[in-house]
Amino acid sequence: METLSENRCFGGTQGVYRHRSDACACDMTFGLFLPAEAADGPVPVLWFLSGLTCTHENAMTKAGAQAWAADQGIALVFPDTSPRGDDVPDDEAYDLGQGAGFYIDATQAPWDEHFKMWTYVADELPGLIAQAFPLDMDRQGVTGHSMGGHGALTMAMALPGRFRSVSAFAPICHPTASDWGRKQFAAYWGDETGWGPHDATLLMQESGFDGPMLIDTGTDDQFADLLGTEHLAQAMAARRQEGQIRLQKGYDHSYFFIASFIEDHIAFHAEALYA
């Protein structure tokens, strides 16, 4: 693993690292914030999964998460959203290809060689950082934005026991019923009969999550019709799922929205991670 940068940040260290990924068959870059407490031993971990077009850098520099994570003594992991490189296939559309991995494993050409983001985020990267950094992998939470909110919700429900808490900012809640989902699933998986169980609304209907959930979405979100928030809300109510969906008046889909409520989300995760 190569260290690209390490900067002092709120008493801890914000690092950026690159490594060769077996899952994605290319070099991958991620950000990791370690609070000051990491100098004395393993600390809890909060994953932040970013949305369409983002790299590891967007949330790392725009969300304002490090200050609140430092207060709570929690590490932050910022993975990339897709494989990248000259040999990695791409599409001219912003919502397919590089920057749009959707946190699933592709099975269809030309995507199947590199686009294994479920395996990368769920298996490979956790194993790598657990060996290299003082992290308590028995205390993990996960959050994300938009496409990354979809990833956070589906990983939390599909990997029972992995995460103590899950939250999301304007997540794609029902991708199998949205153009943000059906388009990408068709490209990465082919015919609908081969689509995997990577839909938060369907997973909620089937199994739910064995911990608390917090979801914030803005009432002025410009992509509201693509998110399917109401579908997840109905599924949560039917299952009596522990959690909240909050509609924040006047907020849109931007990082200004995330920065406005990131303190709430980190405090929410801290309560679960330190319980």
Side-chain angles (χ1 to χ4, degrees):
M1 186 167 56
E2 178 185 2
T3 300
L4 299 182
S5 64
E6 288 183 334
N7 298 96
R8 190 73 169 160
C9 183
F10 293 102
T13 302
Q14 176 62 64
V16 178
Y17 308 93
R18 181 166 58 208
H19 69 102
R20 183 68 182 178
S21 168
D22 292 333
C24 296
C26 65
D27 289 342
M28 296 291 287
T29 302
F30 67 94
L32 174 67
F33 170 73
L34 289 175
E37 289 83 350
D40 299 320
V43 294
V45 183
L46 177 60
W47 295 78
F48 191 107
L49 307 185
S50 292
L52 287 166
T53 75
C54 291
T55 69
H56 70 281
E57 189 174 18
N58 296 72
M60 188 181 79
T61 59
K62 295 180 179 181
Q66 290 90 339
W68 308 113
D71 280 352
Q72 301 287 355
I74 294 173
L76 300 170
V77 186
F78 303 98
D80 202 348
T81 57
S82 78
R84 298 182 190 274
D86 293 340
D87 296 330
V88 175
D90 200 7
D91 190 273
E92 61 183 13
Y94 77 95
D95 58 356
L96 185 66
Q98 295 187 35
F102 260 77
Y103 302 99
I104 62 176
D105 283 355
T107 60
Q108 300 296 305
W111 314 104
D112 54 335
E113 180 180 356
H114 297 282
F115 280 73
K116 304 291 185 182
M117 288 302 294
W118 179 273
T119 296
Y120 176 69
V121 175
D123 297 324
E124 185 177 29
L125 187 55
L128 177 71
I129 63 174
Q131 293 180 353
F133 301 100
L135 304 174
D136 184 351
M137 303 304 281
D138 290 328
R139 292 187 292 168
Q140 296 187 71
V142 62
T143 187
H145 173 227
S146 193
M147 178 185 72
H150 142 77
L153 293 172
T154 55
M155 286 191 176
M157 286 186 275
L159 300 172
R162 171 75 64 91
F163 301 105
R164 294 192 182 187
S165 51
V166 59
S167 72
F169 298 88
I172 302 171
C173 298
H174 198 6
T176 59
S178 168
D179 287 342
W180 270 1
R182 295 189 63 83
K183 171 185 176 179
Q184 294 82 5
F185 289 2
Y188 296 146
W189 282 334
D191 185 82
E192 188 169 348
T193 58
W195 292 5
H198 291 271
D199 183 305
T201 296
L202 300 182
L203 286 166
M204 180 59 64
Q205 292 170 351
E206 294 167 5
S207 59
F209 176 59
D210 55 352
M213 304 179 73
L214 173 63
I215 296 168
D216 277 322
T217 297
T219 61
D220 288 359
D221 192 305
Q222 57 270 47
F223 302 110
D225 292 344
L226 295 168
L227 300 180
T229 309
E230 65 278 15
H231 301 154
L232 180 60
Q234 292 166 3
M236 288 178 65
R239 178 161 287 280
R240 300 294 191 267
Q241 170 68 46
E242 175 188 4
Q244 296 182 72
I245 294 180
R246 309 188 305 187
L247 301 179
Q248 301 291 0
K249 183 175 176 59
Y251 285 89
D252 59 16
H253 202 74
S254 70
Y255 271 92
F256 297 110
F257 160 61
I258 297 171
S260 298
F261 297 100
I262 191 69
E263 179 185 6
D264 286 0
H265 283 243
I266 291 179
F268 161 80
H269 286 285
E271 183 176 356
L273 294 174
Y274 281 106

